[in-house]
Every structure is written in C-alpha cells, then in structure tokens.
Amino acid sequence: MPYNLPATRLLMNRLRQVMAEDGDTRFRLDQVVRIIASTMVADVCSIYLRLTDGALLLIATEGLKPEAVSATRLGSNEGLVGLVARRAEPMAIQDAPRHPSFSYRPETGEDPFHAFLGMPILRGGRVLGVLTVQNRTERAYGDDEIDTLQTIAMVLAEIVDRMDPEHMSNGDGTKKERNLASLSGRVLCEGLGYGRAVLHDPVVPAAKFFAADQNLEAQRLKDALRGLKDSIDQMMALDGAALGDDPRDVMETYRLLAHDPSWAEKLREGVRSGLSAEASVDRARREHRARLQSARDPYLRERLNDLEDLDNRLLRVLAGDDGKPQISEERSVLVARRLGPAELLDYANAGLRAILMEEAAVSSHAAIVARALGIPTLGGIEGLTTRVDQGDWVIVDAEKGVLHIRPDDTLYDAYKGRVALRSERQATYAALRGLPAKTKDGTHVSLYLNAGLDLDLDMLDQAGADGVGLFRTEFQFLVSETLPRLNDQVALYKRVLEKADGKRVIFRTVDLGGDKVLPALNLKREENPALGWRSIRFALDHKGLFRRQLRALVRAAGTGPLTVMFPMVTVPSEFFEARDLLMKEVAWSEDQTGKKPSKLEVGVMLETPALAFSLSELAGQADFLSVGTNDLMQFFFAADRMTPSVSDRYDLVSPAALRFLKQVSETCADHSIRMSACGEATASPLSALCFLSLGFHALSMPAGAIGPVKRMVRSVNLGAFREDFLKVLDAPDDAFRNQVLALAADHGVELSDG
C-alpha cells in the first residue's frame, strides 16, 4: 500500500481508538507497534525506553523476536538507537548495517533488515525513548512518513513518561512513581513555599491529540489563527506619537511570524493528518523547543522564543477559558519557562505559595515584580519545565536556592521546621518596626524601600521604612501592551505620593532598554544591550516620551515636594540636559496652572564608573547622588548580571569594589554631595554594613530586607567597627569576605546572613 494522506488519517484514527481503550500499558504498546508497522508498510516497529542511567530498553516490538522485549538493553552510546537518543533528532538511513554506529544484537533477529527510521520520543525537550521502524529492503523514507512518526512519538511520550521498566517483563505496565528530584536556582524573592505545581504554559492532554471531526478541527484552527492575528495587530496599533519615526522592528517581526503562511500551513497539515488543532500546535511547539535546545546563535534563539510564544498564544486562544492555569484554593506553585511582568501581575491575588521560572535573572523585571508581590520565587532553574509535571508536590526553598520535586516525608518535616524558624525571625524583625535605625554610638541610618508598583507602597509602614529610595517608573510601561498615557502616569504618581503620606519618594525616570524591553520601543537588536541604547540615553533621544513623563511627575506633585533622579548618567552633560527638560516642565506647569512643587530635588544615579571621575562637575548642580549597585557592579567587573555563569562570580564585598566606593564617598564629602545607595547589594546585612563603614548612611532595599538590616544597624558601634574595617580594607587577604565576617563577629554585629 503506498504511503499517503488517507493512510496517515487511518493510522491516526486507529491510534485514537487505542488511546481511548482500557488496558494495561504493555497491551496498548503492543497494539501501537502493530498498527504502525501495518499502516506504514514496515517490517519492524519497535519502542525503546530510556532508563535513568541513559541505557535504552526494548519494551515493545512488531517484527523482532518477542523474547527480546525487556531483555535487549542498549548502552547510551550504542547503535543507531543510541545515536538517535543522543542527538534528540530523527534519523533516516537507507542501509543501516553499513552505518558506522550500527550495532548488531543477535537476540533480536534483526539480521535481514536494512532501512532504518528512528524518532526520539520527547517531552519538554527531554528524551524519554526512541521509536523505530525498519524494512528489509533499502529504501528512503519520505518527509510525510517522518512527520507522521514524529506525531506518533509525541503521543507515545504521554504513555512512556510514566512507565516503570521493572514491571514490563510481566506485562504489568505499572505506572512509575517518579522519584524525588532537587534542582538549583537563583533566589529572586526570599521565602519558603510548598504546594502543587501549576503549569503556566498550556498543556495538551493525550485525550485531545486526535480529531474526532476533521472539518470541525480545521475550522477551529482557522478561527484561532484569525483571533491570534487580530490580537497582535491590536498590539501594534499603539499610540506612536512619542516614538518619532523609528521603525518598531521587533514587534513587526513578531507580527510577520504570526502571519507567516508556512507556519499556518504546517498546522493545517497536522489537522489534515488526523490531529486535533491543539495537538497540531503542540507538535510545532515541540519542534521549536527542540531546536531552541541546540541553537547557539542569539538571533536564532530569539526567533525560536518568539515562535514558541506564538504557539502558546494560539493554544490559549483555542482553549479559551479552559486554557488558563487553574489555581486551586489549596496550595499552588506556579511553574513557567519565563514570565513577563504583566503575566506575573495576573497572579497577584491568586494566593500562590511560590513561583518557579526556568529563565529569569535576579535583576530582571519579572524578579522585581515577584519581590513586590512578596511571593517566594526561584529563577534560572535549568530543565525546570521538563522535570515538573502538573500536580507534582514541590518544596521551594527560596532561602538556599533549591527546589525539591516530589519530596519525601523527611524533607517535608525539615521544611516545616524551617518555616517555624523563619516565622520566629519575622516576629523579631516586626518588633523592630517602630524603633529607629540608629547605631549603638548614635549614628542615624535612613532605610528606604525599593518600589516599582503602587502595591509596593502597601509595605511601607509594615516594613518600617523611612520612605521610598527608588521608585522604578518604567514598570508602568513594562506591564502595559501600550504606552501609558499622560493621565495614567499622573494617576499612578499621585497614588504613590498619597500612600507615602508625606514620606520622601525618589522617582527614577524611565530606565528602558537592556533587560527592560518594551516591545513598542525596542527598535533595534543590539549585540550588547546592557551597554547600548538604554536608560537616560534612550530618554534623551525620545524627548516626547521623556517630557510626557516629566510633566506627569510635576503635575502629580502639585504644590507638594518632588524628588527625581536620572538613571545611568555617564557624563555630566546628560544630567544637565535632563535637568533642563525637567525645569522647562516645572515652568510650563507654573505658567499654565499656577502650581509648582514646593520643594524640588534633582539627583543622579551613579551606575557607570565614568561618572565617578566627574563628580566635581556636579557639585552645586545635583542635589544628591544614589549609587545603583546592580548596574555599577556589572560595569565595574565587566560581568553581565543577566548571565548566570558570571553574574555571581564577583562580590561587592571585595577590596577592589569597596575601595572604589570609598573613593566615591570621599569625593562626595569633599564636594558636599548627599549620597545614598540602592540595588540588590544593599539588601544583604553584610553589604549594608560595608556601605555604612564607607559613609553611606541612606540605603534603599526591598521590603523584606529592612528588618534584617535594621537589626544589624542597631547592633553595631559604627565608629569602632569602621576603624578596624578600614584597616582590613587596606591590608586584605585572599578571603576578604571571611575577614569582614570575622570582624563583625568580634564586634558583636548581628548578621542574619553572610
């Protein structure tokens, strides 16, 4: 029988019947290999299961000797089957015995077979096994046969993933109880959480793989594609007045991908072969994800990420309300490959116990939103979405940066003990809330809150903060599909000032670019965006957008005080140009409304080392300076903070970094420039202690860090500690951090972390 589309449909229909039938796993697999062999006119069809040690066990066959099932075991590097598993991609060979990787196993009786087609059985990029067909004659397998076998492998993944090879020999096919697994990640928001995994990315269950009515599925796919295109076209219909004439390359590329006829035709082809609309999209998603696993070119990875995002969007359109993650009233832990800030905010009131992300850095805007929500969060967990299944129980240790999947009773008991200890610590910090942050020798320290959303301000009094030392205004841009209008910005800034209730709020103007990508404004792909067209550079080149924000800040302040600072200033002229624009808006407001801020303070962020050598030019011009540790340290050490392999390699608590900050402090003192520090580094009591010793007496940090830092402040005699600290800084040894820790212990300083 020639291989054609009707044969493919017949195969899919027969597989759908098998999937719907009751019966043990062994019986169903035997049926599957018989159906594939007969429909594809193959002499052999076999399924191999990948074991924990990488070996491949024959678990079902049609055409090889039956006694080889559960007896033939190939090493991870053995034979063509092993090669398919290693490469995680299909292999079609006309004359297998001549291939250098061919391995002859006499117990299978495979002597007469020549043509070989092997397909990896993948789930989330993880190889679960290999599906093969063989023929006696030498022949070339066609693309349609390869596509069909790939679809069958997708179906088999749902069966094979839960099989226990120890029970295959007796035909039991017992469902495998998956073992405990522990993965490492980066702490994005500290805390502890326990609950059932809820997958953010749409999941297509095996029951929905096959089309009962192909015409209906074709229409569903057509309607969903139209809905997807319309939604993306709406995203493109932005208010572009503030953008000038620059092309919106990234969003246009995304739109072109959605309108790509080859992508749509690939999906329609899947439906014509007998797949449901969801399964056809899922097959494309698996292909994109598998290619992403091996892609090294940054541009290709970017496009494959876009394609996978489109796949997920289309699956959600197809599913409607059913496609939304189901957050139950009991404990739920959200699991995602990556999340944008807007997506994360959708879960703000869902009662999540923790958040897990495969792709996220400590300083990403998703991490900042997680901290604002106060939900324990881990990011940068390699292989997360391939290791966690819907409904798995997980323990999230966002203190040590460890995820425990399917924990046993011993781990759970230890977790409960950790929760009790954490509650005791939190009670200790809460008792300090109304007390001043004053050292034993009388130095007052101002502890401010880092914020980016108005919900952050709810923590202001609860944390005992003196005000907001860093309000990241770009978040209003990042969580919206369109540019926020003037009135929307005014409303946000007014709410922030009202919630602060007279406490100082330092607004940082828009810091877009780098890791903070707004689709409508990310105009050109850059090789090194952290060093590129971003922050104040971007704002000064988009004066319409920038002046609109400055006008909103002035209008929100009314006749009250206003404090503004400009980010990533590299040379003094950038500060002067930005300040002049602000003063024009103040003058415009006074002329048009008769109102202007009662007190206006304009500051500068020190985030580039170059500015540290121009501070004398800012004397009498800038009202204050704030050290932004996140960017400053990545530029100082030439280590991208978004790259896990180097972001943790260098330590702020090191002689070079602290000597540089000491120089900054002394220069500011010489020129009477008030100074403070903000960023992730200030959240550590040890780092905060170093800042205090260098003369920084105003620190801004996440809400959860204020209690531990205040406890440290109240325990130290700063004058005595500073004297010894500077001696150590002048003569450090190779373990400088340990030197500082030992010094703190000698002085009785209470540090809750290292």
Side-chain angles (χ1 to χ4, degrees):
M1 178 176 70
Y3 190 81
N4 52 31
L5 186 58
T8 305
R9 288 177 179 169
L10 174 63
L11 175 57
M12 293 301 174
N13 284 331
R14 294 175 69 183
L15 284 174
R16 179 165 60 88
Q17 293 170 7
V18 171
M19 294 292 290
E21 291 174 357
D22 293 328
D24 63 47
T25 304
R26 175 68 178 274
F27 176 74
R28 293 167 78 190
L29 290 178
D30 287 343
Q31 283 189 294
V32 167
V33 292
R34 280 197 294 270
I35 291 170
I36 296 171
S38 63
T39 309
M40 295 186 68
V41 197
D43 297 308
V44 175
C45 178
S46 304
I47 300 172
Y48 293 83
L49 175 66
R50 192 177 199 178
L51 307 180
T52 53
D53 62 358
L56 292 147
L57 179 70
L58 179 65
I59 59 172
T61 188
E62 173 70 13
L64 298 182
K65 292 181 179 180
E67 55 267 30
V69 173
S70 298
T72 296
R73 178 185 174 119
L74 301 173
S76 58
N77 295 315
E78 185 178 354
L80 295 174
V81 174
L83 187 60
V84 171
R86 288 199 308 279
R87 291 183 174 178
E89 60 185 28
M91 286 190 63
I93 301 169
Q94 285 187 251
D95 191 3
R98 293 186 180 180
H99 193 281
S101 294
F102 178 77
S103 175
Y104 174 62
R105 299 300 294 265
E107 75 273 16
T108 64
E110 62 180 344
D111 310 54
F113 305 113
H114 288 268
F116 171 92
L117 174 58
M119 183 67 59
I121 301 172
L122 299 168
R123 195 170 191 274
R126 180 165 49 103
V127 177
L128 304 178
V130 176
L131 171 64
T132 68
V133 294
Q134 295 170 267
N135 283 85
R136 293 177 183 273
T137 58
E138 296 182 22
R139 57 160 296 193
Y141 294 100
D143 290 342
D144 50 359
E145 293 171 292
I146 294 173
D147 286 346
T148 298
L149 204 65
Q150 188 173 38
T151 300
I152 297 167
M154 179 179 75
V155 177
L156 287 176
E158 305 306 313
I159 303 174
V160 171
D161 191 33
R162 293 308 184 111
M163 288 178 54
D164 185 350
E166 293 181 4
H167 295 87
M168 289 305 300
S169 58
N170 58 17
D172 181 357
T174 301
K175 181 177 177 180
K176 176 171 60 179
E177 292 298 328
R178 303 182 73 191
N179 296 328
L180 161 72
S182 296
L183 303 176
S184 297
R186 307 178 73 193
V187 176
L188 307 185
C189 181
E190 193 178 273
L192 298 169
Y194 174 72
R196 285 191 181 276
V198 176
L199 303 185
H200 171 73
D201 291 341
V203 177
V204 180
K208 289 189 175 181
F209 279 166
F210 302 106
D213 183 332
Q214 288 174 9
N215 291 331
L216 176 62
E217 290 303 305
Q219 187 61 46
R220 289 182 65 236
L221 179 62
K222 181 180 179 181
D223 293 343
L225 283 168
R226 185 186 302 115
L228 175 69
K229 293 172 185 176
D230 289 346
S231 69
I232 293 173
D233 288 343
Q234 289 172 11
M235 288 169 60
M236 291 291 295
L238 299 172
D239 175 10
L243 303 182
D245 298 324
D246 296 305
R248 293 172 292 177
D249 292 346
V250 170
M251 279 305 296
E252 186 61 39
T253 300
Y254 195 63
R255 181 176 178 273
L256 288 173
L257 288 172
H259 286 262
D260 181 5
S262 63
W263 178 61
E265 178 57 29
K266 181 81 171 177
L267 302 180
R268 287 191 287 267
E269 181 184 299
V271 170
R272 287 196 295 269
S273 72
L275 290 177
S276 68
E278 287 88 349
S280 184
V281 178
D282 191 37
R283 184 176 72 170
R285 180 173 63 170
R286 290 174 191 237
E287 291 177 10
H288 295 147
R289 190 170 289 177
R291 290 177 62 195
L292 185 62
Q293 297 280 341
S294 58
R296 292 292 176 265
D297 178 68
Y299 181 75
L300 178 58
R301 290 184 65 85
E302 192 176 313
R303 294 286 71 78
L304 289 170
N305 269 322
D306 288 342
L307 281 168
E308 189 180 341
D309 285 343
L310 282 174
D311 297 333
N312 286 330
R313 279 179 178 266
L314 186 54
L315 284 171
R316 290 193 181 96
V317 173
L318 282 165
D321 290 339
D322 293 337
K324 297 177 181 177
Q326 299 301 308
I327 307 296
S328 64
E329 293 183 1
E330 64 173 335
R331 299 169 177 269
S332 293
V333 174
L334 187 67
V335 177
R337 284 192 65 225
R338 62 183 180 276
L339 286 169
E343 292 175 303
L344 197 47
L345 281 172
D346 287 340
Y347 296 102
N349 299 312
L352 292 174
R353 298 307 176 100
I355 298 169
L356 301 168
M357 288 182 278
E358 191 163 323
E359 300 176 11
V362 172
S363 52
S364 68
H365 36 270
I368 294 169
V369 171
R371 284 192 286 274
L373 298 175
I375 301 173
T377 304
L378 292 179
I381 308 172
E382 187 174 349
L384 170 67
T385 52
T386 69
R387 303 290 295 275
V388 178
D389 285 337
Q390 183 83 11
D392 277 346
W393 286 101
V394 295
I395 290 175
V396 180
D397 184 347
E399 291 182 337
K400 297 182 178 179
V402 179
L403 164 66
H404 300 291
I405 307 167
R406 299 174 292 276
D408 56 21
D409 290 342
T410 302
L411 262 177
Y412 181 60
D413 289 342
Y415 161 79
K416 288 191 292 186
R418 294 271 305 285
V419 169
L421 287 173
R422 183 173 177 83
S423 297
E424 290 178 13
R425 289 203 307 270
Q426 295 302 321
T428 301
Y429 302 147
L432 299 175
R433 185 171 54 203
L435 301 177
K438 184 182 291 186
T439 65
K440 285 185 173 181
D441 52 341
T443 300
H444 180 78
V445 179
S446 297
L447 300 181
Y448 292 101
L449 179 72
N450 289 344
L453 304 162
D454 56 351
L455 62 87
D456 283 314
L457 275 293
D458 296 336
M459 298 295 296
L460 193 61
D461 291 332
Q462 185 177 333
D466 295 312
V468 178
L470 170 65
F471 189 88
R472 301 176 171 98
T473 59
E474 63 272 9
F475 260 75
Q476 189 180 24
F477 293 75
L478 293 169
V479 301
S480 174
E481 296 282 10
T482 61
L483 289 173
R485 299 181 183 277
L486 176 65
N487 289 339
D488 296 331
Q489 294 184 61
V490 172
L492 170 64
Y493 304 148
K494 275 188 175 180
R495 288 197 304 272
V496 170
L497 291 169
E498 288 168 0
K499 286 186 175 183
D501 194 24
K503 291 184 177 180
R504 189 183 191 211
V505 177
I506 301 177
F507 290 99
R508 181 179 73 184
T509 58
V510 285
D511 184 8
L512 294 170
D515 61 315
K516 305 181 186 74
V517 177
L518 181 64
L521 301 180
N522 187 33
L523 307 176
K524 297 176 182 177
R525 188 172 70 91
E526 297 178 333
E527 291 299 325
N528 197 337
L531 297 176
W533 194 34
R534 53 169 292 211
S535 203
I536 196 66
R537 304 166 183 174
F538 179 88
L540 291 174
D541 286 349
H542 286 86
K543 288 187 173 63
L545 179 147
F546 191 32
R547 289 194 65 168
R548 180 185 297 185
Q549 183 190 33
L550 296 176
R551 181 168 298 182
L553 286 165
V554 172
R555 185 180 295 182
T559 57
L562 176 63
T563 306
V564 175
M565 67 179 175
F566 303 121
M568 203 179 157
V569 171
T570 305
V571 292
S573 60
E574 292 172 335
F575 170 79
F576 297 140
E577 185 178 357
R579 187 190 59 178
D580 288 347
L581 291 176
L582 174 60
M583 298 313 296
K584 286 179 181 178
E585 292 304 325
V586 171
W588 185 91
S589 176
E590 186 176 21
D591 181 61
Q592 297 294 316
T593 68
K595 296 179 180 179
K596 70 173 185 177
S598 58
K599 180 182 180 182
L600 178 64
E601 292 185 298
V602 186
V604 61
M605 290 194 75
L606 174 60
E607 297 178 284
T608 63
L611 187 65
F613 299 95
S614 302
L615 295 181
S616 60
E617 298 173 48
L618 297 176
Q621 304 295 320
D623 294 307
F624 64 93
L625 174 143
S626 181
V627 172
T629 59
N630 293 351
D631 270 329
L632 181 61
M633 287 299 103
Q634 81 164 339
F635 297 144
F636 182 80
F637 288 118
D640 184 1
R641 60 191 171 100
M642 303 299 288
T643 303
S645 57
V646 298
S647 60
D648 293 330
R649 182 176 295 237
Y650 304 104
D651 190 357
L652 180 140
V653 184
S654 63
L658 294 177
R659 286 169 182 163
F660 175 72
L661 291 171
K662 180 173 179 284
Q663 176 185 325
V664 170
S665 174
E666 291 170 348
T667 304
C668 285
D670 290 343
H671 294 90
S672 301
I673 301 174
R674 285 185 289 123
M675 61 183 186
S676 62
C678 61
E680 299 309 313
T682 57
S684 159
L686 180 64
S687 298
L689 177 61
C690 294
F691 273 108
L692 295 184
S693 302
L694 296 176
F696 291 83
H697 297 158
L699 306 175
S700 189
M701 61 199 68
I706 290 177
V709 171
K710 182 181 284 190
R711 180 176 177 232
M712 177 275 293
V713 169
R714 292 177 59 84
S715 71
V716 64
N717 182 316
L718 187 58
F721 179 84
R722 184 175 189 273
E723 183 178 347
D724 290 342
F725 171 80
L726 293 178
K727 291 178 182 177
V728 170
L729 186 59
D730 285 339
D733 62 22
D734 292 337
F736 179 74
R737 171 177 275 265
N738 290 337
Q739 275 186 286
V740 179
L741 284 170
L743 185 62
D746 291 343
H747 282 262
V749 182
E750 296 185 15
L751 299 176
S752 58
D753 71 352

